[in-house]
Amino acid sequence: MKPHLLFLTACLLAGAPAARAQLVGDMAEAAVALAPPRVEQAGKRAAYTFESAGVAEAFNGVVVQGFADGADFEGWIRFEETDGWGAWLPLYVVRSATDAAFLAAYRSDTFRQGGRFELRFSTKAGGGLHLVGAGVFDNRRDADRLAGAAPGAGAKASDHLFPPVMHARPAWGAAPFIGNPIPLARPSHDYITFHHAAGFGATTLDEGLQQVKNIQTFHQNGRGWSDIGYHFVMDQSGRLYQGRPFLTEPVALKDVPRLVQGAHVGNNNTGNIGVCVLGCYHPPEGANCRDAITPAALDSLVTLFAFLSNAYGVPTNQIKGHRDFSSTACPGDNNYPLLPQIRQRVQDLLRTGNQPLGAATLDAASDDAGVVRLAWTFLEDNGITAYRIERVYDDEAAVVFEGEGALPDAFTDAGLTRPGTVAYRLTARNAAGREQILAAAQVAIAAPGDYVLAHNFPNPFREATTIRYFLEQDGLVTLAVYDVTGRRVALLADAFQDGGRWYARSFDGRGLPGGTYFYRLRVDGFAGLVYDKTRAVTLVR
């Protein structure tokens, strides 16, 4: 066997168990073990044949998930009959628009039980093929086309929560629903379930539209469902797409449409709203499954969950991951641990809402002394009674300024010590206690290439002024202030200090006469004096 085929077999055996579980949870009712592939090579083509174990359950469909390099790729299936193997039948294959992921399925009106099946895939030689799982399903168990249930109740419009902008079904060219849709709530909406697509990533609008269409095509034509299984789909940039149709179209999401039952959690679809994030977030399945949800997508997801929770009456503790209902990896190891944070953020958003309290700009700029100067202006005021400026620095948030009303102002932040990126956000509050972030900015604090004793500010000053300095290396630091006669009037620093950071000291001039003073920084290193600098400062009376 050639080296790349040995590697392929090893990947298959190592990746199969967790991935099969995920596949079973998504679209199959029972996992089926596959033996390592038989590989045949003829000219520029390679064929991979996988033989299944015997299938105990009755089934009329097979679904397969994998990754295959290159677009020149086909698949077939055949079943074990009483007199040997049957004819090869084509698999229905849907490829991801942005990566090597694929889904394949076969479905018929014939029900089988107890026998085996074989899968065969043909690719260009050396192209590479990796199956992550296979499973079977029985369409007779699908409740997707049933009709006649009573409509659900309890949905309500919100006056302070708005959903993300949604790209409706016509935008992605949705095929019509097959059969008769039934209401999701019978009688209530009970869960919101978080999924990932296990591939089929998308970061742009065009990619997102194509991937949602691809998923619908496979769910309808490969799996045999009435429509795409999810109610909502989100791409990796946070764009929201409508999945299943609403019971009455067209209706905007903000108007709280009646939802149709989906097909996203086996035996738990009644009253369960399904939301799927495109991409693959389960690292145990290999290099194709290492996505991390972006901040934009997480923010959009929290906003959607909060809107759905409020509009359809789903408690925040009933926001679940797919694996909470069945043996599956979905929504992936990178996503599932985020659920406690998501629930808390949803609770916060339910309290504060996202109806705009106003609009504002926030500008931030740093100087050579590592000082940040902030300025902000309110462009719109919808009842702002107070606001604050927060600094996010070294993974810690701190309030650096608070104000009342919606008046423009400015602030100088001299409390930064280490080089790096610092972020600021302006948060407004109304009389009812609702809070919103209206503006944000970030700025880089540079690391000087040498020792620095910066000009104090303000200068001149009346009561106190700030002196900042940067140490290139560790050293014994002395910072003192002298009057014009050379008499020391203040000792601001006299200690060993770490290098590679900024320091700030306040000089309080109250009790001193007006006039000119001098502040001097001396740094002694292991080899003696390494820095000695003096600057003048003016105290005004």
Side-chain angles (χ1 to χ4, degrees), residues 102-306:
F102 74 87
L103 293 168
Y106 175 82
R107 176 172 48 89
S108 73
D109 295 329
T110 300
F111 288 85
R112 306 171 185 274
Q113 188 170 7
R116 298 170 296 167
F117 61 83
E118 285 191 334
L119 301 166
R120 171 169 285 188
F121 297 94
S122 175
T123 69
K124 285 186 176 180
L129 175 76
H130 176 201
L131 292 191
V132 295
V136 295
F137 58 87
D138 182 343
N139 260 148
R140 293 173 298 186
R141 300 181 182 180
D142 290 346
D144 200 20
R145 301 188 188 189
L146 299 178
K156 62 182 186 299
S158 170
D159 60 354
H160 72 290
L161 266 171
F162 296 90
V165 174
M166 184 186 72
H167 299 276
R169 286 168 63 88
W172 53 269
F177 190 95
I178 300 171
N180 299 312
I182 59 175
L184 174 64
R186 305 197 305 276
S188 61
H189 301 87
D190 304 316
Y191 302 101
I192 301 170
T193 299
F194 183 16
H195 298 262
H196 77 139
F200 290 74
T203 58
T204 69
L205 176 59
D206 287 344
E207 290 173 350
L209 296 172
Q210 184 62 55
Q211 296 290 47
V212 179
K213 176 62 176 176
N214 288 351
I215 293 171
Q216 185 205 37
T217 298
F218 186 80
H219 283 186
Q220 285 186 318
N221 300 326
R223 184 56 180 83
W225 288 336
S226 297
D227 210 302
I228 185 171
Y230 312 110
H231 296 94
F232 303 99
V233 179
M234 187 170 292
D235 69 22
Q236 290 158 292
S237 295
R239 298 180 190 86
L240 180 65
Y241 306 86
Q242 181 184 6
R244 292 228 155 181
F246 304 140
L247 277 175
T248 304
E249 294 277 18
V251 180
L253 181 56
K254 67 180 180 62
D255 295 326
V256 193
R258 293 173 63 204
L259 301 178
V260 170
Q261 180 166 303
H264 57 99
V265 177
N267 301 316
N268 284 281
N269 286 302
T270 302
N272 197 337
I273 305 172
V275 180
C276 179
V277 176
L278 298 175
C280 197
Y281 301 83
H282 193 59
E285 290 182 9
N288 294 284
C289 275
R290 295 178 182 173
D291 290 329
I293 194 165
T294 64
L298 186 58
D299 289 347
S300 188
L301 194 70
V302 167
T303 300
L304 175 64
F305 284 173

Side-chain angles (χ1 to χ4, degrees), residues 80 92 163 195 300 314 336:
E80 187 176 30
Y92 184 80
H195 298 262
S300 188
V314 180
Y336 189 74

Side-chain angles (χ1 to χ4, degrees), residues 456-467 481 489 506-519 536-541:
N456 66 295
F457 63 93
N459 189 24
F461 73 103
R462 292 185 180 276
E463 292 185 352
T465 188
T466 298
I467 300 171
V481 182
V489 297
S506 178
F507 170 41
D508 189 342
R510 287 173 295 188
L512 294 174
T516 299
Y517 292 83
F518 301 91
Y519 57 97
V537 57
T538 302
L539 174 60
V540 179
R541 287 286 180 244

